[in-house]
Amino acid sequence: DIRMTQSPASLSASLGETVNIECLASEDIYSDLAWYQQKPGKSPQLLIYNANSLQNGVPSRFSGSGSGTQYSLKINSLQSEDVATYFCQQYNNYPPTFGAGTKLELK
Amino acid sequence: EVQLVESGGGLVQPGRSLKLSCAASGFTFSNYYMAWVRQAPKKGLEWVATISTSGSRTYYPDSVKGRFTISRDNAKSSLYLQMNSLKSEDTATYYCAREDNYFDYWGQGVMVTVSS
């Protein structure tokens, strides 16, 4: 199975700040990488797919980048509604596997 | 609007069975692979099962293979998960999700608690 290592595990940032979350795959996943946002008590929602494609309706302050084994999610101008846990997921090979998550809080 | 609504969760004793259902609407159900993904309390996400559009192909991780069965009824736009020989480690919120390589839509989730 492909192992997905996310960092940091938790993050505290101020409103308006730029935030970066990293995801490292144990092997090349050829940009078959998605990012999800899960707000407290809610189900996950797709933010980014194919490493850098923004899902319909997702604010443009979210962006994804990366290739090979290294990927990142960037949030520009952090808003209060961005407080959530973020997960990466690879779908290059079965089984689909997720990172452990990054919990984002406001400072 | 895509909607996925799970039902059938609850408290069940170890070794017993439970069947989850997911009612889909807002898209052509028969055109999509569907999946179940679970999340243990305060934990991360774990893929549980996937079924092809016709239902002819199913996929499971080793953790549930032989115990869980995913199925679908395209005429009813419904997805199911039959869970047998349940263990305490199966305690989780179970999400129904539409799978288009990634999981682009998720239900609200249903809680399954396995405990004596």
Side-chain angles (χ1 to χ4, degrees):
Chain A
D1 298 2
I2 297 177
R3 187 173 62 256
M4 305 299 291
T5 304
Q6 247 182 276
S7 61
S10 63
L11 181 55
S12 183
S14 301
L15 291 175
E17 199 172 322
T18 294
V19 167
N20 280 287
I21 298 170
E22 309 292 326
C23 189
L24 178 67
S26 59
E27 61 186 77
D28 195 331
I29 57 171
Y30 302 94
S31 297
D32 291 335
L33 190 283
W35 289 97
Y36 302 90
Q37 177 193 64
Q38 186 176 32
K39 295 183 179 181
K42 300 293 187 181
S43 57
Q45 295 209 327
L46 178 67
L47 295 175
I48 302 281
Y49 60 95
N50 295 347
N52 59 14
S53 296
L54 199 65
Q55 174 71 339
N56 288 342
V58 174
S60 59
R61 63 179 180 275
F62 290 91
S63 63
S65 63
S67 62
T69 61
Q70 296 186 308
Y71 299 87
S72 62
L73 173 69
K74 183 178 179 180
I75 309 173
N76 284 317
S77 188
L78 187 69
Q79 305 294 304
S80 56
E81 59 263 33
D82 300 335
V83 169
T85 300
Y86 294 84
F87 297 93
C88 61
Q89 178 237 330
Q90 69 80 24
Y91 47 92
N92 183 69
N93 264 330
Y94 258 64
T97 47
F98 294 86
T102 296
K103 187 174 184 179
L104 175 59
E105 299 175 325
L106 283 179
K107 193 180 290 183
Chain B
E1 180 196 3
V2 172
Q3 285 200 332
L4 299 169
V5 180
E6 302 94 337
S7 60
L11 174 64
V12 61
Q13 292 179 328
R16 304 298 290 264
S17 300
L18 199 64
K19 186 173 184 176
L20 305 182
S21 299
C22 171
S25 61
F27 65 103
T28 304
F29 181 74
S30 58
N31 286 354
Y32 288 88
Y33 277 48
M34 295 295 296
W36 291 94
V37 179
R38 70 183 179 184
Q39 186 172 35
K42 306 293 187 184
K43 299 292 185 182
L45 299 166
E46 180 188 18
W47 165 74
V48 171
T50 290
I51 189 166
S52 63
T53 52
S54 66
S56 60
R57 292 186 300 276
T58 57
Y59 308 87
Y60 308 93
D62 289 344
S63 58
V64 307
K65 196 175 294 182
R67 299 189 300 121
F68 289 13
T69 302
I70 188 172
S71 61
R72 64 191 297 161
D73 184 335
N74 286 341
K76 294 183 178 179
S77 295
S78 292
L79 179 71
Y80 307 100
L81 185 67
Q82 176 68 45
M83 303 184 293
N84 298 332
S85 303
L86 281 161
K87 306 175 182 180
S88 58
E89 52 263 43
D90 296 319
T91 293
T93 295
Y94 285 73
Y95 296 101
C96 164
R98 193 175 83 170
E99 185 171 347
D100 191 4
N101 289 313
Y102 38 85
F103 304 107
D104 59 352
Y105 290 94
W106 300 62
Q108 86 286 353
V110 63
M111 185 69 200
V112 173
T113 302
V114 183
S115 174
S116 54

